[in-house]
Every structure is written in C-alpha cells, then in structure tokens.
C-alpha cells in the first residue's frame, strides 16, 4: 500500500465526515478508492452485476435524495426514486409527479458501494453507483424523518441489500 493511501486512511479514521468528491480530487484518487480509505465498517462494496436488484428495490422505499455530481454541477432530487424499464441500452426512469426522470446506462455500473458515515454531525447513508473508472455517477441517500434521523424502515432495507 502506498504512503498516500496509508496517510489518507489514517486521516479518514480520525475524521470520516469530509466531502468525498473533494477528498478524491485533492488526493488524485477515484471516488471508489477514496471510499475504500474510510474505515471498513462504514462501507460494503458489491459488483455492478447487482444493478437491477438494487435499482429496482429503491422505488418502494419512499422519499430519498438522488444526486448526480459531475464536478461542475451537483444535481439533487428529493422524493421517491422512479421505477424504470430497459430500452435502447438504458434503464429508463419513468417520470414522477415532480418531473424526475432520466436514463441510466446500466452496464456502466462497475460496482455499488453501500456507505454509512458521519456527515455534518449526522449519519449519512447512501448507495453509490460507480463506473469502471471508480467514479460515482449516481448516489442515492436515504430519507430522514421529521427529527432529521434516517428513516428506520429504509435503513433496514438498505442493510438487507448491503448484507450488513
């Protein structure tokens, strides 16, 4: 293991709450490699072959926050994640009442990382879809209740999918 990775693992063991995209850029690492530097009890990595199983489970969870971060733009949608179906090589999201729709190149999913870590003094729980370069093209964060806590029913479903 190189010194940079060892140093980052030590830094993230002390404070895992930073913005991962910024940390990745600062250390010239992919998002996947940055997440792998977090304490191992915070993440579980699965093959992208589980894309269908995971993406099709999420619409039944209720309100979540879906994020696409290109580096130049962070796009967030709060509400139910849309159901979808395959056509022309994409997993096509059916438009929701709020207008959320889109197209996901499912075979671009190389791995899926389930992540639980502190962020801004609260627990943040997300599913991160990563491409072959280790970059996240979609993150889905679990919803919160009126007190700002992660919704317990979603956390149970997350844990079951992640095999926590």
């Amino acid at each position: 293991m190189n010194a940079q990775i060892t140093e980052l693992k030590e830094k993230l063991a002390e404070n895992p709450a930073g913005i991962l995209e910024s940390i990745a850029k600062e250390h010239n690492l992919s998002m996947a490699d940055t997440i792998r530097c977090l304490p191992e009890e915070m993440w579980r990595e699965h093959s992208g072959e589980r894309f269908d199983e995971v993406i099709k489970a999420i619409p039944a969870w209720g309100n979540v926050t879906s994020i696409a971060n290109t580096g130049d733009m962070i796009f967030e949608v709060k509400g139910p994640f849309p159901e979808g179906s395959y056509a022309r090589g994409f997993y096509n999201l059916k438009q929701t009442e709020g207008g959320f729709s889109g197209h996901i190149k499912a075979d671009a999913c190389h791995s899926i990382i389930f992540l639980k870590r502190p962020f801004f003094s609260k627990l943040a729980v997300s599913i991160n879809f990563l491409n072959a370069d280790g970059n996240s093209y979609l993150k889905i964060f679990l919803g919160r209740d009126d007190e700002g806590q992660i919704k317990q029913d979603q956390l149970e479903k997350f844990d079951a999918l992640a095999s926590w």
Side-chain angles (χ1 to χ4, degrees), residues 101-162:
S101 66
H103 314 278
I104 303 171
K105 196 166 188 310
D107 63 0
C109 187
H110 182 263
S111 65
I112 302 168
I113 298 181
F114 294 81
L115 181 60
K116 288 184 193 179
R117 69 186 185 103
F119 189 70
F120 292 122
S121 75
K122 292 191 177 193
L123 178 65
V125 182
S126 64
I127 302 171
N128 301 266
F129 296 86
L130 300 131
N131 63 23
D133 294 329
N135 296 315
S136 176
Y137 64 90
L138 174 63
K139 297 188 289 185
I140 299 173
F141 284 83
L142 274 54
R144 297 188 180 277
D145 62 21
D146 292 338
E147 286 80 47
Q149 301 303 311
I150 297 293
K151 291 183 178 180
Q152 193 61 38
D153 64 322
Q154 289 185 7
L155 187 57
E156 290 168 8
K157 292 172 185 170
F158 172 93
D159 286 342
L161 271 180

